[in-house]
Amino acid sequence: MELIMAGGVRIAGLVVALAVSVLLAIGLGAATVAPADTARYLWAAVTGGEIAAGEVTSYQIVWQIRAPRVVLAAVVGGGLAAVGVAVQALVRNALADPFILGVSSGASVGAVGVSVLGVWGALGIYAVSAGAFLGALAASVLVHLAARSRAGTTPLRLVLTGVAMAFGFQALLSVLIYLVPDAEATSAVLYWTMGSFGAATWGVLPVVALTVLIGLVVLRRLSRPLDVLSLGDETAASLGVDAAGLRGRLFVLTSLVTGAMVAVSGAIGFVGLVVPHVVRIVTGAGHRRVLVVAPLVGGVLMVWVDLVSRTLVAPRELPLGAITALVGVPVFIVLLRRRAYLFGGR
C-alpha cells in the first residue's frame, strides 16, 4: 500500500511539474510574459474569451508561436522516452533507443530527399514532414526484411541490421546534402537533422499527439508481456508469450510513433536512451510503472531543453540534438558507473 501511495504521489508530482514547466516555457523567451498573463491568454484562446486591444501582440506570441511549440516538445519528449523503454525491451539491449533501428536516419533521408528533389510542392510546409515520415516507414520495412531469417527475427540480428542500415542511410544523407543547390538550404537541412521545434504549428500537432497517445496506450496494455520479453525468448515461451509475434508488433508500433515524431522535430537523441534508465532506478524495472513515469519525465526534460535551445543564444537557436547529447552523455556515464545499477545484467 505504501509503495502504491508513493507511486501515486510521484506521478502527481510529475504531472504538476509538467504543467508548470509548460506554462513557464510558454511565457519565457525574447519577450517575457508573466505566468498569470500566460495562463489568462491560454484560457481566453481555449474558451473564446476576450482580451484587451493592447495585449494582442502578447496573446499572439503566447498562443500562435510558443504554445504549439512547447506542447509539441512535451509530446515528443514523452513519446521518445516511452518508445525508448519499448525498444530496450524489444531488443533486450540497454544501449538501445528509438533510433538504433535506423528509423531516424531513414526519416532524415526522406526529408532531405524532398528538399533536394523539390517534390510534393502541393503539400507546402508539410512536404518535408511527409517525406520524413515515409522515409522512416521505408527504413523500418527495410530493416525488418533484412533482419528476418528462417529462425525468425532475433534481437541481435535486429540491432546489427539497424546499425548497419543507419550507416547506409547516413551515407546516402551525406550525398543528398552535397547535392543541395545552395549553402542556405544546406544549413537548413543540417539543422533539421539535429532536431528543432521551430516549425511547430497547431496544424501539425494533432496528428503527432494522437499517434503518440495511441502508442502510449498500447504500450501500457503490453506492460506485462514486456516484462516477460525482457527475460528472454525461452522464458517468455515457458510463460505463454509469443516472443516473435510480440517483437513484430512492437517493431511496427515503435517505428510508426518514432516516424511521426521525427517528421515534426527532426532527430533528437539520448532522450529515449537515458530517461528509461533514470526512471528504472527510481521506480524499478516493472514496465507498468516505467511506462507511466518515463513519458512524464521525458516531457518535462524536452520542454526545458527546447527553452534553453531558443533562449541561450537568442535570437539564434541551438540544435536540440546537441543539447540532449551534452546533457545525456555525462548522465549516462554516471549511470554506467553506479554499482547499484546493472546494464544488461552485468
Side-chain angles (χ1 to χ4, degrees), residues 86 89-90 219 222-230 246 250 287 291:
L90 167 67
L219 288 176
L222 293 175
S223 56
R224 294 296 295 274
L226 283 172
D227 289 338
V228 177
L229 187 65
S230 300
L246 177 59
L250 285 173
H287 287 86
L291 285 170

Side-chain angles (χ1 to χ4, degrees), residues 57-224:
T57 300
S58 297
Y59 169 81
Q60 290 178 338
I61 291 174
V62 166
W63 180 248
Q64 297 294 340
I65 299 176
R66 292 184 187 163
R69 175 171 183 151
V70 174
V71 173
L72 181 62
V75 169
V76 171
L80 288 174
V83 173
V85 173
V87 171
Q88 288 171 9
L90 167 67
V91 300
R92 297 207 312 275
N93 191 317
L95 294 177
D97 70 356
F99 302 138
I100 195 173
L101 302 180
V103 177
S104 175
S105 300
S108 299
V109 170
V112 176
V114 169
S115 300
V116 173
L117 300 177
V119 297
W120 298 343
L123 295 178
I125 60 174
Y126 302 107
V128 174
S129 296
F133 185 68
L134 292 178
L137 294 184
S140 302
V141 172
L142 288 174
V143 170
H144 184 67
L145 292 177
R148 292 187 63 181
S149 66
R150 293 183 178 180
T153 305
T154 63
L156 181 58
R157 288 179 64 92
L158 201 57
V159 171
L160 293 178
T161 304
V163 171
M165 287 290 190
F167 277 108
F169 291 135
Q170 288 293 336
L172 182 58
L173 181 63
S174 299
V175 173
L176 289 174
I177 292 176
Y178 180 78
L179 296 176
V180 172
D182 57 81
E184 183 177 352
T186 301
S187 177
V189 167
L190 287 174
Y191 187 77
W192 186 90
T193 61
M194 292 186 286
S196 171
F197 296 122
T201 64
W202 288 118
V204 303
L205 185 59
V207 175
V208 64
L210 181 61
T211 304
V212 171
L213 178 60
I214 293 174
L216 291 176
V217 171
V218 174
L219 288 176
R220 186 78 163 78
R221 292 173 63 89
L222 293 175
S223 56
R224 294 296 295 274

Side-chain angles (χ1 to χ4, degrees), residues 228-253:
V228 177
L229 187 65
S230 300
L231 301 176
D233 288 10
E234 293 183 359
T235 303
S238 67
L239 295 175
V241 174
D242 179 10
L246 177 59
R247 188 171 289 115
R249 295 194 299 272
L250 285 173
F251 183 79
V252 172
L253 177 63

